[in-house]
Amino acid sequence: MTVIDVHTHMYPPAYMSLLRSRKNIPYVCSFPDDPSAGDRLVILPAEDTASTSRGRPIGPEYFDVNEKLTFMRNHGIDVSVISLANPWLDWLPSSEAAKVARTVNDDVERMCMEHEGKLYAFGTLPLSAPVEQVTAEIRRLAGLKHHRGIVMGTSGLGSGLDDPALDPIYAAIEENEQLIFLHPHYGLPTSVYGQRASDYGHVLPLALGFPLETTIAVTRMLLSGVWDRHPKLQVLLAHSGGTLPFLAGRIESCIAHDAHLKKEGKLHNRRDVWDVLKNNIYLDAVIYGDVGLKAAVEASGADRLMFGTDHPFFPPLGEGEDEWLSVQLNTQAVHSAFGDDQKAADAIMGSNAKRVLRLPD
């Protein structure tokens, strides 16, 4: 069995250099007066405080390709399809975005070439640039040997994934047969978690905010008819689609019963949620339990799920631990969900990704 990890992140050297040169979000900071604090990554406004607890620790596992390869060896992963982690390049000035995107994507392609057969990638788009520059990078990425799609956040060009201004970008992605790996970043307003949210670490925004952000973004795409206009657009959703597999029936019922949508003529000739889930959406298997994984399988089909780890996030908390609980839980969920059906488990662990991403033997 070949194990392929489709949800695994890296900040390549070119991107790290950019982050280290900055003083505003996003940036990497260090504390000369307190070396024990280490380097810290600051990517959200709430993390940008004046204390050494600012941001999150960022060690070599985030940017050193040898750390990625060691992690793969330790966990029996044969191939990783790496993607830049949030916040990608969304924050760049329009005049700089295209040039930076080329530099970062070429840096990732170089790493893949240096470790032939072990690494492939989802490229990063200069979404703040003029649309013709964005579509040019889509076409360029399609010609790179090791790139297999693009990673995108839920903000799109800044107004969400239902923004009509994204149509030429979706069309270029569709035409060049590129897969979108859709990943959350912005979360939900902190007020929804209540006044005591800080007592619970990062649990509420990560466990609930990220999945709901994804679900809301994809539902907006459905409501705006993105897949009606772009019927061949293929999207891989992070974290098993958030809560979309569980809520798909409720979403479909609410659409079908909405008087406003009926009055606007938007209920006629539309593709329903189930059609899109089974023909345009792939789900990763980053769900940490067989109950959620079974829901994902029921929603999209076992042939549309692919294994992931979310490395280097969710590392072991114990000193000296080599095995990542997050990887163990995702692997166990796959095998528990399918029992004796080894062929189905093998498909999710690797052969689906090999087929969908056109990876060589």
Side-chain angles (χ1 to χ4, degrees):
M1 179 183 67
T2 300
V3 177
I4 300 173
D5 182 357
V6 302
H7 185 160
T8 181
H9 302 294
M10 276 196 70
Y11 293 113
Y15 191 76
M16 284 298 297
S17 296
L18 181 60
L19 292 181
R20 292 186 188 280
S21 71
R22 294 175 49 80
K23 300 298 182 184
N24 299 317
I25 296 173
Y27 64 97
V28 169
C29 61
S30 58
F31 301 90
D33 296 335
D34 184 12
S36 64
D39 288 346
R40 301 187 76 88
L41 172 68
V42 184
I43 60 175
L44 292 171
E47 298 171 337
D48 194 22
T49 66
S51 71
T52 55
S53 63
R54 182 186 314 158
R56 63 199 73 184
I58 180 168
E61 66 275 11
Y62 282 79
F63 52 81
D64 186 338
V65 69
N66 292 313
E67 291 284 333
K68 180 69 71 181
L69 295 169
T70 297
F71 167 81
M72 291 168 62
R73 285 192 297 270
N74 288 346
H75 294 85
I77 296 168
D78 299 292
V79 178
S80 286
V81 186
I82 57 177
S83 54
L84 190 67
N86 44 315
W88 313 287
L89 303 175
D90 298 5
W91 46 275
L92 282 169
S94 177
S95 60
E96 300 174 16
K99 180 180 179 181
V100 173
R102 288 192 297 271
T103 300
V104 170
N105 289 327
D106 286 347
D107 203 18
V108 173
E109 180 70 14
R110 172 192 58 79
M111 290 192 297
C112 294
M113 290 177 64
E114 291 174 355
H115 303 281
E116 187 65 48
K118 301 297 290 182
L119 300 178
Y120 291 85
F122 294 123
T124 310
L125 295 181
L127 291 176
S128 59
V131 65
E132 61 271 14
Q133 294 181 7
V134 180
T135 54
E137 187 63 6
I138 292 168
R139 292 190 294 272
R140 194 182 78 90
L141 287 170
L144 296 182
K145 180 181 178 181
H146 297 90
H147 277 71
R148 290 299 186 271
I150 58 98
V151 63
M152 186 184 291
T154 61
S155 180
L157 303 176
S159 299
L161 299 180
D162 55 348
D163 183 357
L166 276 166
D167 272 0
I169 294 171
Y170 288 145
I173 292 170
E174 186 180 27
E175 179 183 351
N176 287 275
E177 299 181 339
Q178 296 289 284
L179 179 74
I180 296 175
F181 176 34
L182 181 60
H183 195 287
H185 166 61
Y186 301 92
L188 302 180
T190 54
S191 58
V192 305
Y193 303 120
Q195 295 180 348
R196 296 179 58 194
S198 60
D199 294 350
Y200 313 126
H202 291 92
V203 171
L204 292 173
L206 289 179
L208 303 178
F210 266 25
L212 287 169
E213 177 187 338
T214 301
T215 305
I216 293 167
V218 175
T219 303
R220 287 170 60 179
M221 292 175 74
L222 286 160
L223 289 167
S224 65
V226 167
W227 281 287
D228 297 322
R229 298 190 300 278
H230 307 285
K232 295 182 180 179
L233 186 68
Q234 301 290 306
V235 182
L236 168 63
L237 301 183
H239 315 125
S240 292
T243 60
L244 186 63
F246 182 78
L247 293 178
R250 182 175 180 85
I251 292 168
E252 181 60 29
S253 176
C254 289
I255 293 173
H257 289 90
D258 193 274
H260 172 74
L261 294 179
K262 183 177 181 179
K263 181 180 178 182
E264 294 292 315
K266 294 182 179 180
L267 298 185
H268 179 65
N269 242 0
R270 69 178 182 88
R271 296 180 61 193
D272 66 25
V273 176
W274 302 111
D275 181 18
V276 172
L277 272 168
K278 294 184 183 299
N279 291 287
N280 298 89
I281 285 178
Y282 294 94
L283 305 173
D284 71 20
V286 181
I287 194 66
Y288 311 107
D290 59 357
V291 173
L293 188 64
K294 289 176 182 177
V297 169
E298 288 295 320
S300 286
D303 61 332
R304 301 187 73 83
L305 263 71
M306 294 177 270
F307 177 72
T309 65
D310 214 349
H311 181 263
F313 299 96
F314 302 100
L317 296 179
E319 190 171 343
E321 288 185 56
D322 290 327
E323 185 174 4
W324 290 48
L325 176 63
S326 53
V327 181
Q328 183 183 13
L329 291 174
N330 283 325
T331 304
Q332 288 176 350
V334 172
H335 292 287
S336 174
F338 291 101
D340 295 332
D341 190 349
Q342 189 63 42
K343 184 178 180 180
D346 289 354
I348 291 179
M349 295 300 293
S351 58
N352 285 345
K354 186 181 293 187
R355 182 191 79 251
V356 173
L357 300 178
R358 307 180 303 280
L359 300 180
D361 291 329

